Coordinates of all heavy atoms in Angstrom, one line a residue:
M134 N 7.4 -5.5 -32.7 CA 8.1 -5.3 -33.9 C 7.9 -3.8 -34.3 O 6.8 -3.2 -34.1 CB 7.5 -6.2 -35.0 CG 7.9 -5.8 -36.4 SD 7.3 -6.8 -37.8 CE 8.1 -8.4 -37.5
E135 N 9.0 -3.2 -34.8 CA 8.9 -1.8 -35.2 C 9.7 -1.6 -36.5 O 10.5 -2.3 -36.8 CB 9.5 -0.9 -34.2 CG 8.9 -0.6 -32.9 CD 9.5 0.5 -32.0 OE1 10.7 0.8 -32.3 OE2 8.8 1.0 -31.2
I136 N 9.1 -0.7 -37.3 CA 9.7 -0.3 -38.6 C 9.8 1.3 -38.4 O 8.8 1.9 -38.1 CB 8.9 -0.6 -39.8 CG1 8.7 -2.1 -39.9 CG2 9.5 -0.1 -41.0 CD1 7.7 -2.6 -41.0
I137 N 11.0 1.8 -38.4 CA 11.2 3.2 -38.2 C 11.9 3.9 -39.4 O 12.8 3.4 -40.0 CB 12.1 3.4 -37.0 CG1 11.5 2.8 -35.7 CG2 12.5 4.8 -36.7 CD1 12.4 2.8 -34.6
S138 N 11.3 5.0 -39.9 CA 11.8 5.9 -40.9 C 12.3 7.2 -40.3 O 12.2 7.3 -39.0 CB 10.7 6.1 -42.0 OG 9.7 7.0 -41.5
E139 N 12.6 8.1 -41.1 CA 13.0 9.3 -40.6 C 12.0 10.1 -39.8 O 12.2 10.8 -38.8 CB 13.5 10.3 -41.8 CG 14.2 11.5 -41.4 CD 14.7 12.3 -42.5 OE1 15.3 11.7 -43.5 OE2 14.5 13.6 -42.5
R140 N 10.8 9.9 -40.3 CA 9.6 10.8 -39.7 C 8.6 9.9 -39.0 O 7.8 10.3 -38.1 CB 8.9 11.5 -40.7 CG 9.9 12.6 -41.3 CD 9.1 13.5 -42.3 NE 8.4 12.8 -43.3 CZ 7.3 13.2 -43.9 NH1 6.9 14.4 -43.6 NH2 6.6 12.4 -44.7
L141 N 8.6 8.6 -39.3 CA 7.4 7.8 -38.8 C 8.0 6.4 -38.1 O 9.0 5.9 -38.4 CB 6.5 7.4 -39.9 CG 5.7 8.4 -40.7 CD1 5.0 7.8 -41.9 CD2 4.9 9.1 -39.8
R142 N 7.1 6.0 -37.1 CA 7.4 4.7 -36.5 C 6.1 3.9 -36.7 O 5.0 4.3 -36.4 CB 7.6 4.9 -35.0 CG 7.6 3.5 -34.2 CD 7.8 3.7 -32.8 NE 9.1 4.4 -32.5 CZ 9.2 5.6 -31.9 NH1 8.2 6.4 -31.7 NH2 10.5 6.1 -31.7
L143 N 6.3 2.7 -37.2 CA 5.2 1.6 -37.3 C 5.5 0.7 -36.3 O 6.6 0.1 -36.3 CB 5.2 1.0 -38.7 CG 4.7 1.7 -39.9 CD1 5.5 2.9 -40.2 CD2 4.5 0.8 -41.1
R144 N 4.6 0.4 -35.3 CA 4.9 -0.4 -34.2 C 3.6 -1.3 -34.0 O 2.5 -1.1 -34.4 CB 5.2 0.3 -33.0 CG 4.1 1.3 -32.5 CD 4.3 1.8 -31.1 NE 3.4 2.7 -30.7 CZ 2.1 2.5 -30.2 NH1 1.7 1.3 -30.3 NH2 1.3 3.4 -29.8
T145 N 3.8 -2.3 -33.1 CA 2.8 -3.2 -32.8 C 1.7 -2.5 -32.0 O 2.0 -1.5 -31.3 CB 3.3 -4.2 -31.8 OG1 4.4 -5.1 -32.5 CG2 2.2 -5.3 -31.4
V146 N 0.5 -2.7 -32.3 CA -0.7 -2.1 -31.7 C -0.6 -2.5 -30.1 O -0.3 -3.7 -29.8 CB -2.0 -2.6 -32.3 CG1 -3.2 -2.0 -31.5 CG2 -2.0 -2.2 -33.7
K147 N -1.0 -1.5 -29.3 CA -1.0 -1.7 -27.8 C -2.5 -1.5 -27.3 O -3.1 -0.7 -28.0 CB -0.1 -0.8 -27.1 CG 1.3 -1.0 -27.5 CD 2.2 0.0 -26.8 CE 3.7 0.0 -27.3 NZ 4.5 1.1 -26.7
N148 N -2.8 -2.1 -26.2 CA -4.1 -1.8 -25.7 C -4.4 -0.3 -25.4 O -5.5 0.1 -25.5 CB -4.4 -2.7 -24.4 CG -4.4 -4.1 -24.7 OD1 -5.0 -4.5 -25.8 ND2 -4.0 -5.0 -23.8
E149 N -3.4 0.4 -25.0 CA -3.6 1.8 -24.7 C -3.9 2.7 -25.9 O -4.2 3.8 -25.9 CB -2.5 2.4 -23.9 CG -1.1 2.2 -24.6 CD -0.3 1.0 -23.9 OE1 -1.0 0.0 -23.5 OE2 0.9 1.0 -24.0
D150 N -3.8 2.1 -27.1 CA -4.1 2.7 -28.4 C -5.6 2.7 -28.7 O -6.0 3.3 -29.7 CB -3.4 2.0 -29.6 CG -1.8 2.1 -29.4 OD1 -1.3 3.0 -28.7 OD2 -1.2 1.1 -29.9
L151 N -6.4 2.1 -27.9 CA -7.8 1.9 -28.2 C -8.5 3.2 -28.5 O -9.2 3.3 -29.5 CB -8.5 1.2 -27.0 CG -9.9 1.0 -27.0 CD1 -10.4 0.2 -28.2 CD2 -10.5 0.4 -25.8
E152 N -8.4 4.3 -27.7 CA -9.1 5.5 -28.0 C -8.8 6.1 -29.3 O -9.7 6.5 -30.1 CB -8.8 6.5 -26.8 CG -9.7 7.7 -26.9 CD -9.5 8.6 -25.8 OE1 -9.3 8.2 -24.6 OE2 -9.3 9.9 -26.0
N153 N -7.5 6.1 -29.6 CA -7.2 6.7 -31.0 C -7.7 5.9 -32.1 O -8.2 6.4 -33.1 CB -5.6 6.8 -31.1 CG -5.1 8.0 -30.3 OD1 -5.8 9.0 -30.0 ND2 -3.8 7.9 -30.0
I154 N -7.6 4.6 -31.9 CA -8.0 3.6 -33.0 C -9.5 3.8 -33.2 O -10.0 3.8 -34.4 CB -7.5 2.2 -32.8 CG1 -6.1 2.2 -33.0 CG2 -8.3 1.3 -33.7 CD1 -5.4 0.9 -32.5
H155 N -10.3 3.8 -32.1 CA -11.7 3.8 -32.1 C -12.2 5.1 -32.9 O -13.0 5.1 -33.7 CB -12.3 3.7 -30.8 CG -13.8 3.7 -30.8 ND1 -14.5 2.6 -31.3 CD2 -14.7 4.6 -30.3 CE1 -15.9 2.9 -31.2 NE2 -16.0 4.1 -30.7
Y156 N -11.5 6.2 -32.4 CA -11.9 7.5 -33.2 C -11.6 7.4 -34.6 O -12.5 7.9 -35.5 CB -11.0 8.6 -32.5 CG -11.3 10.0 -33.2 CD1 -12.4 10.7 -32.9 CD2 -10.4 10.5 -34.1 CE1 -12.7 12.0 -33.4 CE2 -10.7 11.7 -34.7 CZ -11.8 12.4 -34.4 OH -12.0 13.6 -35.0
L157 N -10.5 6.8 -35.1 CA -10.2 6.7 -36.5 C -11.2 5.8 -37.2 O -11.7 6.2 -38.3 CB -8.8 6.1 -36.7 CG -8.4 5.7 -38.1 CD1 -8.1 7.0 -38.9 CD2 -7.2 4.8 -38.1
L158 N -11.6 4.7 -36.6 CA -12.5 3.8 -37.3 C -13.9 4.3 -37.3 O -14.7 3.9 -38.2 CB -12.5 2.4 -36.5 CG -11.2 1.7 -36.6 CD1 -11.3 0.3 -35.9 CD2 -10.8 1.3 -38.0
M159 N -14.3 5.2 -36.4 CA -15.6 5.8 -36.4 C -15.8 7.0 -37.4 O -16.9 7.4 -37.6 CB -16.0 6.2 -35.0 CG -16.1 5.1 -34.1 SD -17.3 3.8 -34.6 CE -18.8 4.6 -34.4
C160 N -14.7 7.6 -38.0 CA -14.7 8.7 -38.8 C -15.4 8.1 -40.1 O -14.9 7.2 -40.8 CB -13.4 9.2 -39.1 SG -12.7 10.1 -37.8
P161 N -16.4 8.9 -40.7 CA -17.0 8.4 -41.9 C -16.0 8.4 -43.1 O -16.1 7.6 -44.0 CB -18.1 9.4 -42.1 CG -18.4 10.0 -40.8 CD -17.1 10.0 -40.1
E162 N -15.1 9.3 -43.1 CA -14.1 9.4 -44.2 C -13.2 8.2 -44.3 O -12.9 7.7 -45.3 CB -13.2 10.7 -44.0 CG -14.0 12.0 -44.1 CD -14.5 12.5 -42.8 OE1 -14.3 11.8 -41.8 OE2 -15.2 13.6 -42.8
T163 N -12.8 7.6 -43.1 CA -11.9 6.5 -43.1 C -12.8 5.2 -43.4 O -12.2 4.2 -43.9 CB -11.2 6.3 -41.8 OG1 -12.1 6.3 -40.7 CG2 -10.2 7.5 -41.6
A164 N -14.0 5.2 -42.9 CA -14.9 4.0 -43.3 C -15.0 3.8 -44.7 O -15.2 2.6 -45.1 CB -16.3 4.3 -42.6
L165 N -14.9 4.8 -45.6 CA -15.0 4.5 -47.0 C -13.9 3.6 -47.5 O -14.1 2.9 -48.5 CB -14.8 5.9 -47.7 CG -16.0 6.9 -47.6 CD1 -15.6 8.2 -48.3 CD2 -17.3 6.3 -48.3
F166 N -12.7 3.6 -46.8 CA -11.6 2.8 -47.3 C -11.4 1.6 -46.3 O -10.3 0.9 -46.5 CB -10.4 3.7 -47.3 CG -10.5 4.9 -48.1 CD1 -10.9 6.1 -47.6 CD2 -10.4 4.9 -49.5 CE1 -11.0 7.3 -48.4 CE2 -10.7 6.0 -50.3 CZ -11.0 7.2 -49.8
N167 N -12.2 1.4 -45.4 CA -12.1 0.3 -44.4 C -13.1 -0.8 -44.9 O -14.3 -0.6 -44.8 CB -12.4 0.8 -43.0 CG -12.2 -0.3 -42.0 OD1 -12.0 -1.5 -42.4 ND2 -12.3 0.0 -40.7
P168 N -12.5 -1.9 -45.3 CA -13.5 -3.0 -45.8 C -14.4 -3.6 -44.7 O -15.4 -4.1 -45.1 CB -12.6 -4.2 -46.3 CG -11.1 -3.8 -45.8 CD -11.2 -2.3 -45.4
S169 N -14.1 -3.3 -43.5 CA -14.9 -3.8 -42.3 C -16.0 -2.8 -42.0 O -16.9 -3.1 -41.3 CB -14.1 -4.0 -41.1 OG -13.1 -5.0 -41.4
G170 N -15.8 -1.5 -42.5 CA -16.8 -0.5 -42.1 C -16.6 0.0 -40.7 O -15.5 -0.2 -40.1
H171 N -17.7 0.5 -40.1 CA -17.6 1.0 -38.7 C -17.7 -0.1 -37.8 O -18.5 -1.1 -38.0 CB -18.8 2.0 -38.4 CG -18.8 3.2 -39.1 ND1 -17.8 4.2 -38.7 CD2 -19.5 3.8 -40.0 CE1 -18.1 5.3 -39.5 NE2 -19.1 5.1 -40.3
P172 N -17.0 -0.1 -36.6 CA -17.2 -1.1 -35.5 C -18.6 -0.7 -34.9 O -19.0 0.4 -35.0 CB -16.1 -0.9 -34.6 CG -15.5 0.4 -34.9 CD -15.9 0.8 -36.3
N173 N -19.2 -1.7 -34.3 CA -20.5 -1.5 -33.6 C -20.4 -0.7 -32.4 O -21.4 -0.4 -31.7 CB -21.2 -2.8 -33.4 CG -21.7 -3.4 -34.7 OD1 -22.0 -2.7 -35.6 ND2 -21.6 -4.7 -34.8
G174 N -19.2 -0.4 -31.9 CA -19.0 0.3 -30.6 C -17.6 0.0 -30.1 O -16.8 -0.6 -30.7
I175 N -17.2 0.7 -29.0 CA -16.0 0.6 -28.4 C -15.6 -0.8 -28.0 O -14.4 -1.2 -28.1 CB -15.9 1.5 -27.2 CG1 -14.4 1.7 -26.7 CG2 -16.8 1.1 -26.0 CD1 -13.6 2.6 -27.5
V176 N -16.6 -1.7 -27.7 CA -16.3 -3.1 -27.3 C -15.7 -3.8 -28.6 O -14.8 -4.6 -28.5 CB -17.6 -3.7 -26.8 CG1 -17.3 -5.3 -26.6 CG2 -18.0 -3.1 -25.5
D177 N -16.4 -3.5 -29.8 CA -15.8 -4.2 -31.0 C -14.4 -3.8 -31.3 O -13.7 -4.6 -31.7 CB -16.8 -3.8 -32.1 CG -18.0 -4.7 -32.2 OD1 -18.2 -5.6 -31.3 OD2 -18.9 -4.4 -33.0
T178 N -14.2 -2.4 -31.1 CA -12.9 -1.9 -31.4 C -11.9 -2.4 -30.4 O -10.8 -2.8 -30.8 CB -12.9 -0.3 -31.3 OG1 -13.9 0.2 -32.2 CG2 -11.5 0.2 -31.6
A179 N -12.3 -2.7 -29.2 CA -11.4 -3.2 -28.2 C -11.0 -4.7 -28.6 O -9.8 -5.1 -28.4 CB -12.1 -3.2 -26.8
E180 N -11.9 -5.4 -29.2 CA -11.6 -6.8 -29.6 C -10.7 -6.8 -30.7 O -9.7 -7.6 -30.8 CB -12.9 -7.5 -30.0 CG -13.7 -8.1 -28.8 CD -13.0 -9.1 -28.1 OE1 -12.4 -10.0 -28.6 OE2 -13.0 -9.0 -26.8
M181 N -10.8 -5.8 -31.7 CA -9.9 -5.7 -32.8 C -8.4 -5.3 -32.3 O -7.5 -5.9 -32.7 CB -10.4 -4.6 -33.7 CG -11.5 -5.0 -34.6 SD -11.8 -3.8 -35.8 CE -13.2 -3.0 -35.2
V182 N -8.4 -4.5 -31.3 CA -7.1 -4.0 -30.8 C -6.5 -5.1 -30.0 O -5.3 -5.4 -30.2 CB -7.3 -2.8 -29.8 CG1 -6.1 -2.6 -29.0 CG2 -7.7 -1.5 -30.7
K183 N -7.2 -5.9 -29.3 CA -6.7 -7.1 -28.6 C -6.1 -8.1 -29.6 O -5.0 -8.6 -29.4 CB -7.8 -7.7 -27.8 CG -7.3 -8.9 -27.0 CD -8.4 -9.6 -26.2 CE -7.8 -10.8 -25.5 NZ -8.8 -11.8 -25.3
T184 N -6.8 -8.4 -30.7 CA -6.4 -9.3 -31.7 C -5.1 -8.8 -32.3 O -4.1 -9.5 -32.5 CB -7.5 -9.5 -32.8 OG1 -8.7 -10.0 -32.2 CG2 -7.0 -10.4 -33.9
W185 N -5.1 -7.5 -32.7 CA -3.9 -6.9 -33.4 C -2.7 -6.9 -32.4 O -1.5 -7.2 -32.8 CB -4.2 -5.5 -33.8 CG -5.2 -5.4 -34.9 CD1 -5.5 -6.4 -35.9 CD2 -6.1 -4.4 -35.2 NE1 -6.4 -5.9 -36.7 CE2 -6.9 -4.7 -36.3 CE3 -6.2 -3.1 -34.7 CZ2 -7.8 -3.8 -36.9 CZ3 -7.1 -2.3 -35.2 CH2 -7.9 -2.6 -36.4
S186 N -2.9 -6.6 -31.2 CA -1.8 -6.6 -30.2 C -1.2 -7.9 -29.9 O 0.0 -8.1 -29.6 CB -2.3 -5.9 -28.9 OG -3.2 -6.7 -28.2
E187 N -2.0 -9.0 -30.2 CA -1.5 -10.3 -29.9 C -0.9 -11.0 -31.2 O -0.3 -12.1 -31.1 CB -2.7 -11.3 -29.4 CG -3.1 -10.8 -28.0 CD -4.3 -11.6 -27.5 OE1 -4.9 -12.3 -28.3 OE2 -4.6 -11.4 -26.4
Q188 N -0.9 -10.3 -32.3 CA -0.4 -10.9 -33.5 C 1.2 -11.2 -33.4 O 1.6 -12.1 -33.9 CB -0.5 -9.8 -34.7 CG -1.8 -9.8 -35.3 CD -1.9 -8.7 -36.3 OE1 -1.0 -7.8 -36.5 NE2 -2.9 -8.9 -37.2
E189 N 1.8 -10.4 -32.6 CA 3.3 -10.5 -32.4 C 3.6 -11.9 -31.8 O 4.7 -12.4 -32.0 CB 3.9 -9.5 -31.6 CG 5.3 -9.3 -31.8 CD 5.8 -7.9 -31.3 OE1 5.5 -7.6 -30.2 OE2 6.7 -7.4 -31.9
K190 N 2.7 -12.5 -31.1 CA 2.9 -13.8 -30.4 C 2.7 -15.0 -31.3 O 2.9 -16.1 -30.9 CB 2.0 -13.9 -29.2 CG 2.1 -12.9 -28.2 CD 1.0 -13.0 -27.1 CE 1.1 -11.8 -26.2 NZ 0.0 -11.8 -25.3
E191 N 2.2 -14.7 -32.6 CA 1.9 -15.7 -33.5 C 3.3 -16.4 -34.0 O 4.3 -15.9 -33.9 CB 1.1 -15.3 -34.7 CG -0.3 -14.8 -34.3 CD -1.1 -14.2 -35.5 OE1 -0.6 -14.4 -36.6 OE2 -2.1 -13.6 -35.2
S192 N 3.1 -17.6 -34.6 CA 4.2 -18.4 -35.0 C 4.9 -17.8 -36.2 O 4.5 -16.8 -36.7 CB 3.8 -19.8 -35.3 OG 2.9 -19.8 -36.5
A193 N 5.9 -18.6 -36.7 CA 6.7 -18.1 -37.8 C 5.7 -18.2 -39.1 O 6.2 -17.6 -40.1 CB 7.8 -19.0 -38.0
D194 N 4.6 -18.8 -39.0 CA 3.7 -18.8 -40.2 C 2.7 -17.6 -40.2 O 1.7 -17.7 -40.9 CB 2.9 -20.1 -40.2 CG 3.7 -21.3 -40.4 OD1 4.8 -21.2 -41.1 OD2 3.3 -22.4 -39.8
R195 N 3.1 -16.6 -39.4 CA 2.2 -15.4 -39.3 C 1.9 -14.8 -40.7 O 2.8 -14.7 -41.5 CB 3.0 -14.4 -38.5 CG 2.3 -13.1 -38.2 CD 3.1 -12.3 -37.3 NE 2.5 -11.0 -37.2 CZ 3.1 -10.0 -36.4 NH1 4.2 -10.3 -35.8 NH2 2.5 -8.8 -36.3
K196 N 0.7 -14.5 -41.0 CA 0.3 -13.9 -42.3 C -0.2 -12.4 -42.2 O -0.4 -11.9 -43.2 CB -0.7 -14.8 -42.9 CG -0.1 -16.2 -43.3 CD -1.1 -17.0 -44.1 CE -0.5 -18.3 -44.5 NZ 0.4 -19.0 -43.7
N197 N -0.5 -12.0 -41.0 CA -1.0 -10.6 -40.9 C -0.2 -9.8 -39.9 O 0.2 -10.2 -38.9 CB -2.5 -10.6 -40.4 CG -3.4 -11.2 -41.3 OD1 -3.5 -10.8 -42.5 ND2 -4.2 -12.2 -40.9
Y198 N 0.0 -8.5 -40.4 CA 0.8 -7.6 -39.6 C 0.1 -6.4 -39.6 O -0.1 -5.7 -40.6 CB 2.2 -7.4 -40.2 CG 3.0 -8.6 -40.2 CD1 2.9 -9.6 -41.2 CD2 4.1 -8.8 -39.3 CE1 3.7 -10.6 -41.3 CE2 4.9 -9.9 -39.4 CZ 4.7 -10.8 -40.3 OH 5.5 -12.0 -40.4
T199 N -0.5 -5.9 -38.4 CA -1.1 -4.7 -38.3 C -0.3 -3.7 -37.4 O 0.2 -4.1 -36.3 CB -2.5 -4.9 -37.6 OG1 -3.3 -5.8 -38.3 CG2 -3.3 -3.5 -37.5
F200 N 0.0 -2.5 -38.0 CA 0.9 -1.6 -37.3 C 0.1 -0.4 -37.0 O -0.7 0.2 -37.8 CB 2.0 -1.2 -38.2 CG 3.1 -2.4 -38.4 CD1 3.0 -3.1 -39.7 CD2 4.0 -2.7 -37.5 CE1 3.9 -4.1 -39.9 CE2 4.8 -3.7 -37.7 CZ 4.8 -4.4 -38.9
Y201 N 0.5 0.2 -35.8 CA 0.0 1.6 -35.4 C 1.1 2.5 -35.9 O 2.3 2.3 -35.7 CB 0.0 1.5 -33.9 CG -0.5 2.8 -33.2 CD1 -1.8 2.9 -32.8 CD2 0.3 3.8 -32.8 CE1 -2.2 4.1 -32.1 CE2 -0.1 5.0 -32.2 CZ -1.4 5.0 -31.8 OH -1.8 6.2 -31.1
I202 N 0.6 3.6 -36.6 CA 1.6 4.6 -37.2 C 1.6 5.8 -36.4 O 0.6 6.4 -36.1 CB 1.3 4.8 -38.7 CG1 1.1 3.6 -39.4 CG2 2.3 5.7 -39.2 CD1 0.5 3.8 -40.9
E203 N 2.8 6.3 -36.0 CA 2.9 7.5 -35.2 C 4.2 8.2 -35.6 O 5.1 7.7 -36.3 CB 3.0 7.2 -33.7 CG 4.2 6.4 -33.3 CD 4.2 6.0 -31.8 OE1 3.2 6.2 -31.1 OE2 5.2 5.3 -31.4
T204 N 4.1 9.5 -35.4 CA 5.3 10.4 -35.7 C 6.4 10.1 -34.8 O 6.2 9.8 -33.6 CB 4.9 11.9 -35.7 OG1 4.5 12.3 -34.4 CG2 3.8 12.2 -36.7
I205 N 7.7 10.3 -35.2 CA 8.8 10.2 -34.4 C 8.9 11.4 -33.4 O 9.0 11.2 -32.2 CB 10.1 10.1 -35.2 CG1 10.2 8.9 -36.1 CG2 11.4 10.2 -34.3 CD1 10.3 7.6 -35.3
A206 N 8.7 12.7 -34.1 CA 8.6 13.8 -33.2 C 7.2 13.9 -32.6 O 6.2 14.1 -33.2 CB 8.9 15.0 -34.1
G207 N 7.0 13.7 -31.3 CA 5.8 13.9 -30.6 C 4.9 12.6 -30.6 O 3.9 12.7 -29.8
A208 N 5.3 11.6 -31.1 CA 4.5 10.3 -31.1 C 3.0 10.6 -31.4 O 2.2 10.0 -30.7 CB 4.7 9.6 -29.7
E209 N 2.7 11.4 -32.4 CA 1.3 11.7 -32.7 C 0.8 10.6 -33.6 O 1.4 10.1 -34.5 CB 1.3 13.0 -33.5 CG 1.5 14.2 -32.6 CD 1.5 15.5 -33.5 OE1 0.5 15.7 -34.0 OE2 2.5 16.2 -33.5
F210 N -0.4 10.1 -33.3 CA -1.1 9.1 -34.1 C -1.4 9.6 -35.5 O -1.9 10.5 -35.7 CB -2.4 8.7 -33.4 CG -3.2 7.6 -34.0 CD1 -2.6 6.4 -34.3 CD2 -4.5 7.8 -34.4 CE1 -3.4 5.4 -34.9 CE2 -5.2 6.8 -35.0 CZ -4.7 5.6 -35.3
V211 N -1.0 8.7 -36.4 CA -1.2 9.0 -37.8 C -2.3 8.1 -38.5 O -3.2 8.5 -39.2 CB 0.1 8.9 -38.7 CG1 -0.1 9.1 -40.1 CG2 1.2 9.8 -38.2
G212 N -2.2 6.8 -38.0 CA -3.2 5.8 -38.6 C -2.8 4.4 -38.3 O -1.9 4.1 -37.6
L213 N -3.4 3.4 -39.2 CA -3.1 2.1 -39.1 C -2.7 1.6 -40.5 O -3.1 2.1 -41.5 CB -4.2 1.3 -38.6 CG -4.8 1.6 -37.2 CD1 -6.2 0.9 -37.0 CD2 -3.8 1.0 -36.1
I214 N -2.0 0.4 -40.5 CA -1.8 -0.3 -41.8 C -1.7 -1.8 -41.4 O -1.2 -2.1 -40.4 CB -0.4 0.2 -42.5 CG1 -0.3 -0.5 -43.9 CG2 0.8 -0.1 -41.6 CD1 0.7 0.1 -44.7
D215 N -2.4 -2.4 -42.3 CA -2.5 -3.9 -42.2 C -1.8 -4.5 -43.4 O -2.1 -4.1 -44.6 CB -3.9 -4.4 -42.1 CG -3.9 -5.9 -41.9 OD1 -3.6 -6.4 -40.8 OD2 -4.2 -6.6 -42.9
I216 N -0.8 -5.4 -43.2 CA 0.0 -6.1 -44.2 C -0.4 -7.5 -44.2 O -0.2 -8.1 -43.1 CB 1.4 -5.8 -44.1 CG1 1.8 -4.3 -44.3 CG2 2.2 -6.5 -45.3 CD1 3.2 -3.9 -43.9
S217 N -0.9 -8.1 -45.2 CA -1.2 -9.5 -45.3 C -0.4 -10.2 -46.3 O -0.3 -9.8 -47.4 CB -2.7 -9.7 -45.6 OG -3.6 -9.2 -44.6
I218 N 0.2 -11.3 -45.9 CA 1.1 -12.1 -46.8 C 0.3 -13.2 -47.3 O -0.2 -14.1 -46.6 CB 2.4 -12.6 -46.0 CG1 3.1 -11.4 -45.6 CG2 3.1 -13.5 -47.0 CD1 4.3 -11.8 -44.7
V219 N -0.1 -13.1 -48.6 CA -1.0 -14.1 -49.2 C -0.2 -15.2 -49.7 O -0.5 -16.4 -49.6 CB -1.8 -13.4 -50.4 CG1 -2.7 -14.4 -51.0 CG2 -2.5 -12.2 -49.8
K220 N 0.9 -15.0 -50.3 CA 1.7 -16.1 -50.9 C 3.1 -16.2 -50.2 O 3.8 -15.2 -50.1 CB 2.0 -15.8 -52.4 CG 0.8 -15.8 -53.2 CD 1.1 -15.8 -54.6 CE -0.3 -15.9 -55.5 NZ 0.0 -16.1 -56.9
V221 N 3.3 -17.3 -49.7 CA 4.5 -17.6 -48.8 C 5.8 -17.3 -49.6 O 6.7 -16.7 -49.1 CB 4.5 -19.0 -48.3 CG1 5.8 -19.3 -47.5 CG2 3.3 -19.3 -47.5
K222 N 5.8 -17.4 -50.9 CA 7.0 -17.2 -51.6 C 7.4 -15.8 -51.7 O 8.6 -15.4 -51.9 CB 6.9 -17.7 -53.1 CG 6.0 -16.9 -54.0 CD 6.0 -17.5 -55.4 CE 5.3 -16.5 -56.4 NZ 5.4 -17.0 -57.7
Y223 N 6.5 -14.8 -51.2 CA 6.9 -13.4 -51.1 C 7.3 -13.0 -49.8 O 7.6 -11.9 -49.5 CB 5.7 -12.5 -51.5 CG 5.3 -12.8 -53.0 CD1 4.0 -13.1 -53.4 CD2 6.2 -12.5 -54.0 CE1 3.6 -13.4 -54.6 CE2 5.8 -12.8 -55.4 CZ 4.5 -13.1 -55.6 OH 4.1 -13.4 -57.0
R224 N 7.4 -13.9 -48.8 CA 7.8 -13.6 -47.5 C 9.2 -13.1 -47.4 O 10.1 -13.4 -47.9 CB 7.6 -14.9 -46.6 CG 7.8 -14.7 -45.1 CD 7.6 -15.9 -44.4 NE 6.2 -16.1 -44.2 CZ 5.6 -15.7 -43.1 NH1 6.2 -15.1 -42.1 NH2 4.3 -15.8 -42.8

């Protein structure tokens, strides 16, 4: 799944995104806003990436969407966003 704007692409997380995501999650500045805090290491981050990359295979009752955000020009990593649907009526 992709959402594309003039400058950004939000796409499904891929296994090859591991290094960028791990670097982001290990930054103290981003940990302030991450309810999970720091992962315990690259193995924990790899498990998160695997879970996020498999979200697209979930059923129509899917409630979580985690996107990798990158620039259109140059495909530079910007960050992650997680969208959780709490109430079905807002789907």
Side-chain angles (χ1 to χ4, degrees):
M134 175 183 285
E135 286 189 343
I136 300 171
I137 299 174
S138 74
E139 185 176 319
R140 298 181 311 152
L141 298 174
R142 173 183 295 114
L143 284 68
R144 62 164 173 80
T145 302
V146 174
K147 300 176 185 174
N148 289 328
E149 54 264 24
D150 301 328
L151 175 61
E152 187 176 315
N153 285 338
I154 292 172
H155 185 67
Y156 178 79
L157 174 72
L158 295 179
M159 294 304 291
C160 289
E162 296 87 0
T163 59
L165 290 172
F166 305 100
N167 182 354
S169 305
H171 289 289
N173 289 326
I175 193 79
V176 173
D177 283 354
T178 306
E180 281 297 314
M181 287 189 255
V182 167
K183 181 179 180 213
T184 299
W185 294 332
S186 67
E187 292 175 351
Q188 283 178 341
E189 202 167 39
K190 299 174 189 171
E191 292 178 11
S192 69
D194 295 332
R195 181 176 175 184
K196 293 188 176 36
N197 292 307
Y198 297 80
T199 304
F200 293 102
Y201 184 94
I202 308 168
E203 62 188 4
T204 60
I205 296 290
E209 294 177 57
F210 178 57
V211 175
L213 298 168
I214 186 169
D215 183 73
I216 301 169
S217 297
I218 299 172
V219 179
K220 295 188 177 188
V221 178
K222 73 178 190 176
Y223 297 121
R224 188 174 275 267

